[in-house]
Amino acid sequence: MCGIMGYIGDSEPTKIILEGLAKHEYRGYDSAGIAVIKDGAIQEIRTTGRVCQLAEKVKETGFTGEFGIGHTRWATHGGVTENNAHPHISSDDKVVLVHNGIIENAREIRAELEAKGIKFHTETDTESAVQYLGYVYDGDPKGAIVKLTKRIRGAFALVIMFYDKNEEFWVVRKGSPLVVGHAGHEGFCASDPTALLEYTRDVWFMDDDEMAQITREGCKFFDFNGVEHEKKTMHLDWDSAMTSRGEYAHFMLKEIHEQPDVMTHTLLGRVANNEVDLSRELDWTPEQVKGWKKIHFVACGTSHYATMIAARIMETLGNFEIRTEVASEYRYMNIPIGPDTLAIFVSQSGETADTLHAARLAMSKGAKCLVITNVRGSTIHREVGDALVTPAGPEIGVAATKTFTAQITILTLLGLYMAKLRGELLPEPEKNLVGALMDIPAKLSRILDQEKVIEQIARNFADARGFFFIGRGLAYPPALEGALKLKEISYLHAEAYPAGEMKHGPIALLDKELPVVALVPKGFLWEKTISNIEESMARKSPIIAIATEGDEEIKHYSENVIYTPATEPELFPFIAVIPLQLFAYYVARQRGCDIDMPRNLAKSVTVE
Ligand code: M6R
């Protein structure tokens, strides 16, 4: 939530900062601003709306400076107004900063400073930090920041400039992501490493309770007591071309189309001769794996649905005792967690605050923890250590797509590997399932070939009042994901239910304006799902069916059939999700929604 960027060097700072903010826009996009140091004074320009509107304003006014900081906002405290937009400047014009996070004791600090006669101008929590800094600043930036870190509570990534320091800016981190880079005579900081790829691929991920001074000459790192320390860079294995939209109308569409390749890359090096081998990444022994009596999957949103699929697949592979929990709830559950627990945290971004806090809790209780993330070096990766990194490349669309496919691929491999180490999976079923998994990328490409059919069906239903998604067994979690995709980007109400549960209440809502998307693959639950489709039809709900190629009978129930290739029953979620993503995409497109940056959402949710 919120993207921040800082730059010092010989290039035009507004250009670099605007380009960086554009790359951060998926983190928040309700207002944006830049501050620069120019002729020994702080100057700023802000606007409500998008980074492109800020860019227009910069161009019109000829706004420029020597170096600067920028921000794109996802409002937490205070409405979406230009006045609340960052950067914020202290009343004495000595300090300016941008902030990502929440300052929890902002009210208390504000009251204290107002009592001393300092005037506040915004409704934001951030202003308490900048006013406090202005109040304590006496020409020593490091000393003032040390005092600030002892005064504020909450989560914060801050980038700070001081009016009389014409050769440096400062960054501070506790709880919100921040990455620093340096190349030649240029220093950078950003919330997200993708914003730095154009300049350097060797970066420093800031840790909690850490601050840094960035100058043209280099970066110096300090703890919150101001004591300097050495810090190692991390090499990013992404490149800047991966962050371009190419020929596609939206990042989401591009990322949907990348899924066959993403899945192939995820399998690469992890399977050989139809067998799974994760020993290069996990040094687990059979004894250890047998010792983990409980498996907890913890995640949020789409990543949570990926874990639901993983759990159901794993239950078919071995004798696992599994819980899948939403991270924001896991933290407050009174359940036994200990050394006999393997807690698996799944987070595309690796920065989701709820998941991170849940991981800290599990670590503190002695559980063995593992992370599945798409961002090497992300906070959760660094803190937990043991990780399987999905090679999906940067995902820019706010709605997760390709990372979901990568997650369920790697989680399926993990399930197979664990069942094997526990001695519960025989070679033949392993070979069969791995073989079937390796066939999936080609099947995904075949589904993508049906894009036009899916687009037409989506157009036909774009004016619906809302949608139900139903499925049974392994068709239920993808129904949840399909409904989430649709509501996120089209703003239509969409609800997913296990098909058999509809009659226990939700069926009361059905009528001719409420279509039902039924996931009905051929298999032992086909007939039962068909009964639920009949029940929906009896209430006049139009049916959109996701069915298996060759299923002619389904046409008796629906005129809107999206056919998917047959696969092993366990792997149906892989096959089901692309039609659902495309359906959501084209409904949203028909409705004229802002697909890559849906309202009220942010890609990386770094507040609780
Ligand atoms: O980065 P994470 O996987 O931890 O993110 C979790 C959710 O915030 C995320 O999946 C969210 O639900 C997406 N917008 C789904 O499209």
Side-chain angles (χ1 to χ4, degrees):
M1 339 224 73
C2 301
I4 57 186
M5 179 88 195
Y7 171 74
I8 186 163
D10 297 332
S11 300
E12 168 55 43
T14 56
K15 179 177 175 290
I16 306 247
I17 292 166
L18 283 167
E19 284 170 5
L21 291 183
K23 294 213 165 85
H24 280 101
E25 229 179 350
Y26 67 93
R27 300 178 65 92
Y29 30 83
D30 57 43
S31 52
I34 297 182
V36 291
I37 297 288
K38 191 178 175 203
D39 303 329
I42 295 167
Q43 298 192 11
E44 71 168 1
I45 186 162
R46 300 179 292 172
T47 183
T48 52
R50 300 280 163 98
V51 173
C52 59
Q53 287 161 267
L54 179 67
E56 274 302 307
K57 225 169 155 176
V58 166
K59 199 169 151 199
E60 277 164 21
T61 56
F63 181 84
T64 185
E66 287 140 30
F67 63 99
I69 62 180
H71 189 269
T72 175
R73 181 172 187 238
W74 187 87
T76 57
H77 292 54
V80 179
T81 62
E82 189 172 309
N83 195 44
N84 286 335
H86 300 218
H88 292 294
I89 304 178
S90 60
S91 289
D92 55 10
D93 290 329
K94 286 183 179 167
V95 189
V96 60
L97 59 77
V98 291
H99 169 217
N100 171 25
I102 290 179
I103 294 170
E104 288 165 0
N105 56 342
R107 278 178 188 281
E108 183 188 306
I109 298 171
R110 182 176 182 137
E112 176 192 312
L113 294 177
E114 280 178 338
K116 294 183 195 301
I118 293 172
K119 290 236 170 321
F120 277 63
H121 307 287
T122 78
E123 302 157 341
T124 65
D125 55 328
T126 302
E127 192 179 355
S128 63
V130 77
Q131 297 290 15
Y132 185 83
L133 267 181
Y135 176 66
V136 297
Y137 182 59
D138 59 2
D140 169 19
K142 190 172 73 176
I145 294 171
V146 167
K147 284 184 187 149
L148 176 74
T149 59
K150 300 202 184 317
R151 185 66 187 92
I152 56 175
R153 285 196 306 272
F156 45 89
L158 300 166
V159 191
I160 309 166
M161 298 190 300
F162 297 85
Y163 77 111
D164 58 344
K165 299 292 167 206
N166 293 335
E167 287 297 329
E168 66 192 46
F169 69 84
W170 288 75
V171 299
V172 187
R173 175 195 157 133
K174 187 185 184 79
S176 297
L178 198 56
V179 58
V180 168
H182 206 275
H185 286 282
E186 295 181 299
F188 309 84
C189 77
S191 298
D192 192 318
T194 52
L196 302 189
L197 287 173
E198 229 176 297
Y199 313 106
T200 177
R201 287 168 68 182
D202 295 303
V203 299
W204 293 275
F205 283 96
M206 296 292 292
D207 287 312
D208 275 351
D209 300 334
E210 199 173 32
M211 55 201 245
Q213 179 200 42
I214 321 287
T215 65
R216 284 180 167 82
E217 281 66 51
C219 307
K220 286 183 178 169
F221 298 89
F222 307 88
D223 65 17
F224 275 4
N225 292 317
V227 178
E228 191 176 346
H229 57 264
E230 292 296 312
K231 192 171 172 72
K232 280 201 179 122
T233 54
M234 188 175 277
H235 186 70
L236 300 171
D237 46 16
W238 293 349
D239 66 54
S240 60
M242 289 170 155
T243 60
S244 117
R245 187 155 49 79
E247 73 211 29
Y248 291 95
H250 296 95
F251 277 107
M252 182 180 178
L253 191 60
K254 175 182 178 239
E255 289 157 4
I256 290 173
H257 278 265
E258 283 173 356
Q259 289 174 104
D261 285 346
V262 163
M263 184 160 173
T264 305
H265 286 140
T266 311
L267 293 167
L268 210 70
R270 294 179 169 125
V271 295
N273 305 320
N274 284 359
E275 285 177 26
V276 184
D277 186 2
L278 301 182
S279 60
R280 281 192 308 150
E281 293 157 285
L282 305 174
D283 58 353
W284 295 353
T285 62
E287 289 64 41
Q288 268 178 307
V289 177
K290 284 179 201 155
W292 299 321
K293 300 295 176 213
K294 298 183 288 247
I295 297 173
H296 293 179
F297 279 114
V298 187
C300 305
T302 289
S303 299
H304 171 58
Y305 297 146
T307 67
M308 287 177 70
I309 292 167
R312 285 177 186 227
I313 296 177
M314 281 176 77
E315 282 156 5
T316 69
L317 300 174
N319 195 14
F320 293 105
E321 195 188 312
I322 305 176
R323 288 184 85 114
T324 54
E325 300 294 348
V326 163
S328 53
E329 291 296 314
Y330 184 74
R331 293 178 60 192
Y332 305 109
M333 286 176 163
N334 193 12
I335 52 170
I337 304 171
D340 66 344
T341 312
L342 171 65
I344 303 172
F345 299 89
V346 182
S347 174
Q348 177 281 129
S349 61
E351 301 295 347
T352 300
D354 291 321
T355 314
L356 187 58
H357 286 292
R360 286 176 184 153
L361 171 90
M363 286 191 287
S364 74
K365 293 195 168 191
K368 171 72 186 174
C369 294
L370 174 72
V371 165
I372 315 285
T373 183
N374 194 44
V375 183
R376 193 179 294 283
S378 55
T379 305
I380 201 164
H381 183 187
R382 296 199 313 280
E383 290 198 14
V384 172
D386 284 357
L388 293 170
V389 178
T390 51
E395 188 176 67
I396 314 282
V398 165
T401 52
K402 62 176 177 173
T403 53
F404 175 79
T405 293
Q407 287 169 348
I408 58 177
T409 306
I410 219 157
L411 286 166
T412 305
L413 296 178
L414 179 67
L416 282 158
Y417 188 61
M418 288 181 66
K420 202 158 82 160
L421 287 180
R422 284 160 59 126
E424 291 169 2
L425 181 68
L426 297 173
E428 204 179 312
E430 178 188 0
K431 282 189 188 299
N432 289 343
L433 199 64
V434 173
L437 257 182
M438 292 173 72
D439 289 342
I440 297 277
K443 293 182 181 178
L444 300 186
S445 299
R446 271 168 56 200
I447 299 171
L448 288 167
D449 291 342
Q450 291 188 66
E451 187 167 351
K452 286 277 165 251
V453 177
I454 301 170
E455 178 179 357
Q456 190 51 56
I457 295 175
R459 280 172 187 270
N460 297 345
F461 288 95
D463 293 327
R465 194 176 81 229
F467 288 85
F468 268 102
F469 286 68
I470 59 170
R472 281 175 179 261
L474 269 152
Y476 170 53
L480 286 163
E481 174 59 5
L484 178 64
K485 287 293 87 93
L486 191 68
K487 62 187 140 195
E488 278 188 296
I489 61 170
S490 74
Y491 317 140
L492 282 169
H493 185 230
E495 214 57 69
Y497 268 91
E501 189 64 12
M502 289 291 284
K503 58 187 177 293
H504 297 290
I507 201 166
L509 294 169
L510 295 189
D511 62 27
K512 63 179 180 352
E513 284 163 22
L514 203 66
V516 172
V517 180
L519 281 67
V520 55
K522 270 293 181 192
F524 78 104
L525 290 171
W526 185 88
E527 279 184 353
K528 290 217 182 300
T529 313
I530 289 289
S531 301
N532 306 128
I533 290 177
E534 297 246 32
E535 289 155 12
S536 306
M537 289 169 72
R539 274 84 194 170
K540 302 206 166 23
S541 284
I543 305 294
I544 299 155
I546 314 289
T548 307
E549 278 171 2
D551 180 358
E552 288 301 315
E553 240 181 301
I554 191 70
K555 291 185 180 156
H556 299 307
Y557 305 97
S558 174
E559 291 171 2
N560 304 287
V561 182
I562 302 169
Y563 281 113
T564 57
T567 183
E568 298 289 308
E570 296 91 321
L571 304 186
F572 175 68
F574 289 83
I575 297 289
V577 79
I578 290 191
L580 298 175
Q581 294 166 348
L582 283 172
F583 180 73
Y585 173 81
Y586 280 110
V587 169
R589 193 156 162 178
Q590 179 71 15
R591 294 171 64 82
C593 299
D594 192 342
I595 292 174
D596 282 335
M597 286 179 252
R599 71 182 183 206
N600 304 343
L601 298 181
K603 180 83 181 157
S604 183
V605 185
T606 52
V607 293
E608 288 170 63

